[in-house]
Amino acid sequence: MDTREMLLHYLHDAREALVWKTEGLSERELRMPRTTTGTNLLGLVKHAASTEVGYFGEVFGRPWPTPDEIAWTTRFDTEPNGDFFATTDESAEQILDLYRRVAAFADETIESLPLDAPGHVPWWGDRGGVTLERVVVHVLADLQRHAGHADILREGIDGAVGLLPRSTNIPDVDQAAYVARLRAIAEQFPA
């Protein structure tokens, strides 16, 4: 496996993990803020779409073909969290479909340009000169971070956990006993 194939493999896994965490949930469950900062599953997917369309589009001179459907990306000055939630006019189905199409668009950039292709990240200011390889690594790190957030959020909703649908990476143990053991250890220390 060469470097490009390896990067694409891990990028596809990160996307799959993020989308998998949305499966089988209602619009309400997907939109419900689960943290004090408002993090929600559908918002994580919308943010991933925003991230990939920017980094694999604008950074390499490839504008998204239908800019009206990503209008929130032009309003970060007035709506800085606009890509972290779905509006009432945006359904989960629309956001997930958009993300799948953005992923294909991003893959086109990765597959058609050399890894040392130069790009410019305007929102990074003077340090915005990058290569495609650096951008793929940057986006991959961001997506894996958010896939981890999604994993924790989903566990809090219905207990579903795991790395990927084909390999959850969760040992087959009595989870309740394991958590009780950890709680007992923690409780031996002062608050």
Side-chain angles (χ1 to χ4, degrees), residues 13-153:
D13 279 357
R15 291 173 183 151
E16 181 182 13
L18 181 58
V19 169
W20 176 43
K21 297 304 175 177
T22 68
E23 291 177 2
L25 297 177
S26 69
E27 286 276 344
R28 181 184 177 93
E29 290 169 320
L30 291 170
R31 295 165 180 273
M32 188 62 67
R34 306 282 174 181
T35 69
T36 57
T37 58
T39 305
N40 63 89
L41 286 169
L42 194 54
L44 289 172
V45 175
K46 185 175 176 181
H47 173 70
S50 180
T51 297
E52 291 201 51
V53 82
Y55 280 102
F56 296 116
E58 182 179 352
V59 168
F60 294 99
R62 296 187 67 226
W64 181 247
T66 51
D68 287 348
E69 69 182 333
I70 59 164
W72 71 84
T73 62
T74 64
R75 296 191 296 263
F76 287 129
D77 289 342
T78 58
E79 184 74 67
N81 284 332
D83 66 336
F84 275 106
F85 70 95
T87 67
T88 55
D89 296 333
E90 297 169 325
S91 71
E93 183 180 332
Q94 288 171 315
I95 297 293
L96 289 162
D97 176 66
L98 172 66
Y99 187 46
R100 287 180 184 98
R101 290 182 290 117
V102 166
F105 173 82
D107 285 354
E108 287 174 15
T109 300
I110 297 164
E111 291 165 352
S112 67
L113 296 175
L115 290 176
D116 63 352
H120 182 76
V121 183
W123 50 93
W124 286 9
D126 292 342
R127 59 183 188 79
V130 294
T131 63
L132 176 59
E133 184 174 27
R134 179 176 178 194
V135 166
V136 175
V137 170
H138 176 82
V139 171
L140 179 56
D142 190 63
L143 290 181
Q144 286 292 7
R145 178 174 179 246
H146 293 310
H149 293 147
D151 195 37
I152 291 168
L153 296 182

